[in-house]
Amino acid sequence: FCSKTATYTPVFDASPAASTASVNVNGALLRNYARSMGNHGMKEDVFDRLYSLMVQQAQQQPGKLHCGTDNQVRAIMQDLGFMGCFSRVPHGGAEAGGAVFIDVYAAQHRPMNPKNVALLYVEAPSGKRGALPGGPVNNYRPVFDDRDAFLEAVQETAANIINAVIEYNTCAFQKRSEVWPHIEIVQLCLISGVHRHPDTSKLDVARAIVNGVLLSSSARPQ
């Protein structure tokens, strides 16, 4: 676990112990990063365009990691300093809720430390109607009015994060090249914590996240 901070936990650690992918659910941070890479004005919606393309492709095969290879995706990747972009929606993923996007940084663009190899953007489920966060694929995401359905969606999202990373690492291994970094650490935040269902606590959300991670891990061969 990360040590307690006075404000929010930083997206990336300045001194990670191993190759790290960090989870982000904040669309505003994506726009800040886009600007830092020279995408100003109308180009600030670059993540919206990238993830909209990626989620549509992933929805064609839910429950499977999709690698962005078409020319539009490649052009956007270059603008953002990524060497690869991957997406995965859960099984039955007609909506984008629970979608995971793995953005693998080119070595020269890794933030703060060479071991920060990837960003994991997650379209976290929302249980608060009328207060949807402004995510890049916000138009695809449902709101869960039922408490149990919301927590189940959080659990499924956490499992999808781990499944996406496992499938990415398998892909990187099969390439047998050091160009594609393996992800050894996933830095998780409290996804859906701010926009949680009004009848849930942050502890309820944390339990659902841990359950999703454990269920995903236990379903995989050791």
Side-chain angles (χ1 to χ4, degrees), residues 25 124-126 128 150 154 189-197 200-203 205-206 209:
V25 294
S126 177
K128 191 179 292 185
F150 166 72
V154 172
C189 60
L190 192 69
I191 60 172
S192 301
V194 174
H195 298 276
R196 65 186 183 275
H197 192 280
T200 63
S201 66
K202 288 185 177 180
L203 182 58
V205 175
I209 293 170

Side-chain angles (χ1 to χ4, degrees), residues 5-23:
T5 61
T7 55
Y8 292 105
T9 302
V11 176
F12 286 102
D13 191 337
S15 302
S19 296
T20 299
S22 187
V23 172

